[in-house]
Amino acid sequence: GILQHPDGTVLKQLQPPPRGPREQEFYNKVYDSDCCDSILLELREYLPKYFGVWSPPTAPNDTYLKLEDVTRKFNKPCIMDVKIGQKSYDPYASAEKIQQQVSKYPLMEEIGFLVLGMRVYHVSSDSYETQNQHYGRSLTKETVKDGISKFFHNGYCLRKDAIAASIQKIEKILEWFEGQKQLNFYASSLLFVYEGSCQATTVRLSDVTLAEKRGVPKGLLSGGDILEYNNNIHVINSTENGKIEASVSKGLSKFYALHKKAYSKRHHSQLSLKVENLEQDNVWKSSTCIAQEHLNGNVIPQLEKVFCHMPAEIKESANVEVRMIDFAHVFPSNTKDEGYIYGLKNLITVLQNILDN
């Protein structure tokens, strides 16, 4: 498996020949300090950083690839490994190997990708749900959309912000593949990581009374604090002078507003806000009316900027990483990698359908 090095990197043990040396050669080529190939230089953006090989002092013959830990910056990382391409066997595979790989997931050629596993943090229960490769192989053309959407559901709501950000990152990788004919990738994966913790996207108020408690999931109220997650508007914090900072996810198709009654003794301010849920399309209902009583400082101008006039350039997307991993079956080529491109396009389509529906 993957080991963690004390310096914050991860260690992937080199596989037996020819797979291990082939993966090492791939990393060495892409990360060569003398590399001036624009295609390979751009490819670095979509891989974990590579720090050469490492061997433990007690076992100098054991070789590990030393790689960036893509999950390191996340508090509660949600992780999914998706194998991409129509074929999970390389051009040099034996007939026996081909039959073995095809039998594992006969739908690979039609769907173009396979979920190898996922680990999802559920906010409501403060626990992780894990699915292994058997889960991914059970998905059909009809159920793959629901199977993928499970990764983006935190037990409380669908993380549409993380889906939208993932699509953007996959599209960048697709652009790279559309523009290169040097390499073909087989049995390679995309690693998805997004922040599952609600701490980065919560409202924290010292004393809160809800107009309608049905807008708040069970288990999020504790010690007088409310931790509420809204799928598209994230109020980050309330600062000492009463200003409210917020970030609104990209791709906001409808106008959202929070309606909540809040009272803060420190600020001697009160916001009369009401939460309503639109059951017919499962989104937060918007309203342009925000009432105020005894507001301190410039809270209202801040609220107006947040909910009504948020400039596009300061909107932020979810904290998401999508990186290419597993390169034991990468081969030189003089044609586009149509199998990988097919898989990327189909995955984008599935994610877009999850967003749209």
Side-chain angles (χ1 to χ4, degrees):
I2 301 294
L3 305 176
Q4 284 193 311
H5 192 281
D7 66 5
T9 59
V10 293
L11 302 169
K12 179 182 180 181
Q13 189 162 21
L14 210 63
Q15 298 176 73
R19 292 174 297 167
R22 192 187 295 131
E23 183 166 30
Q24 183 182 351
E25 181 184 354
F26 168 80
Y27 274 113
N28 285 338
K29 182 177 181 180
V30 174
Y31 283 93
D32 188 335
S33 58
D34 295 326
C35 177
C36 55
D37 185 330
S38 60
I39 295 293
L40 297 183
L41 291 174
E42 184 187 347
L43 179 58
R44 293 180 184 179
E45 297 177 32
Y46 313 122
L47 312 182
K49 290 184 178 67
Y50 174 61
F51 303 100
V53 293
W54 179 88
S55 296
T58 54
N61 293 327
D62 291 347
T63 304
Y64 294 82
L65 299 173
K66 203 162 185 284
L67 301 166
E68 173 190 6
D69 181 358
V70 180
T71 70
R72 183 175 171 83
K73 68 179 181 180
F74 295 89
N75 181 32
K76 298 287 186 183
C78 296
I79 306 166
M80 178 170 66
D81 184 335
V82 182
K83 186 184 288 188
I84 305 292
Q86 291 177 286
K87 297 176 181 177
S88 56
Y89 53 89
D90 64 51
Y92 302 98
S94 65
E96 183 183 4
K97 179 69 172 178
I98 292 173
Q99 180 57 37
Q100 178 197 44
Q101 288 298 314
V102 171
S103 65
K104 283 183 178 179
Y105 194 56
L107 295 172
M108 192 77 181
E109 188 164 358
E110 184 179 5
I111 294 178
F113 60 84
L114 167 63
V115 176
L116 293 179
M118 65 174 71
R119 185 169 179 259
V120 188
Y121 177 72
H122 284 182
V123 176
S124 52
S125 60
D126 188 26
S127 63
Y128 279 96
E129 178 184 354
T130 303
Q131 302 290 349
N132 62 20
Q133 57 186 319
H134 299 293
Y135 171 81
R137 287 176 184 153
S138 72
L139 300 177
T140 66
K141 192 175 180 182
E142 291 72 32
T143 62
V144 69
K145 187 182 84 168
D146 291 338
I148 293 281
S149 67
K150 196 180 191 77
F151 173 64
F152 294 99
H153 203 289
N154 65 7
Y156 167 25
C157 64
L158 186 67
R159 286 290 304 275
K160 291 189 174 185
D161 57 332
I163 300 172
S166 296
I167 291 172
Q168 290 180 353
K169 290 183 180 292
I170 300 169
E171 285 175 339
K172 293 293 291 180
I173 295 172
L174 176 59
E175 283 180 24
W176 181 85
F177 271 91
E178 293 280 20
Q180 71 90 24
K181 295 181 179 180
Q182 294 186 30
L183 299 168
N184 279 4
F185 295 73
Y186 302 92
S188 184
S189 291
L190 288 184
L191 183 71
F192 291 77
V193 190
Y194 73 86
E195 179 55 68
S197 171
C198 62
Q199 291 181 2
T201 53
T202 52
V203 180
R204 293 181 180 274
L205 299 172
S206 59
D207 190 3
V208 175
T209 304
L210 285 179
E212 289 186 61
K213 290 193 176 183
R214 65 189 176 96
V216 180
K218 184 180 179 182
L220 291 190
L221 288 171
S222 64
D225 288 352
I226 171 178
L227 306 183
E228 181 171 330
Y229 181 85
N230 179 292
N231 220 22
N232 290 78
I233 296 181
H234 315 317
V235 181
I236 305 302
N237 58 18
S238 180
T239 57
E240 290 301 319
N241 63 0
K243 291 182 181 179
I244 291 181
E245 301 171 5
S247 65
V248 182
S249 298
K250 292 179 180 177
L252 194 60
S253 59
K254 298 182 180 180
F255 185 79
Y256 290 77
L258 287 174
H259 290 269
K260 201 182 289 109
K261 188 176 181 181
Y263 177 75
S264 171
K265 293 179 181 178
R266 178 181 297 175
H267 299 150
H268 301 289
S269 63
Q270 186 168 336
L271 304 179
S272 180
L273 303 170
K274 181 182 177 185
V275 176
E276 287 189 11
N277 191 300
L278 266 188
E279 294 182 358
Q280 60 266 36
D281 59 0
N282 199 28
V283 297
W284 292 101
K285 184 178 181 182
S286 65
S287 170
T288 55
C289 176
I290 299 178
Q292 57 126 335
E293 295 177 24
H294 314 298
L295 283 169
N296 179 24
N298 53 3
V299 174
I300 280 297
Q302 290 293 319
L303 281 172
E304 288 175 348
K305 183 172 75 171
V306 167
F307 295 118
C308 307
H309 311 293
M310 177 69 78
E313 62 269 16
I314 65 171
K315 293 178 184 178
E316 298 176 6
S317 63
N319 191 7
V320 172
E321 290 286 353
V322 179
R323 304 288 186 94
M324 297 170 62
I325 58 170
D326 297 337
F327 307 112
H329 303 276
V330 179
F331 296 90
S333 174
N334 54 12
T335 61
K336 283 187 181 182
D337 191 341
E338 297 294 351
Y340 202 104
I341 289 172
Y342 176 91
L344 290 177
K345 286 182 175 179
N346 208 30
L347 181 55
I348 290 171
T349 299
V350 169
L351 291 173
Q352 194 62 55
N353 284 339
I354 296 170
L355 267 189
D356 294 343
N357 296 327

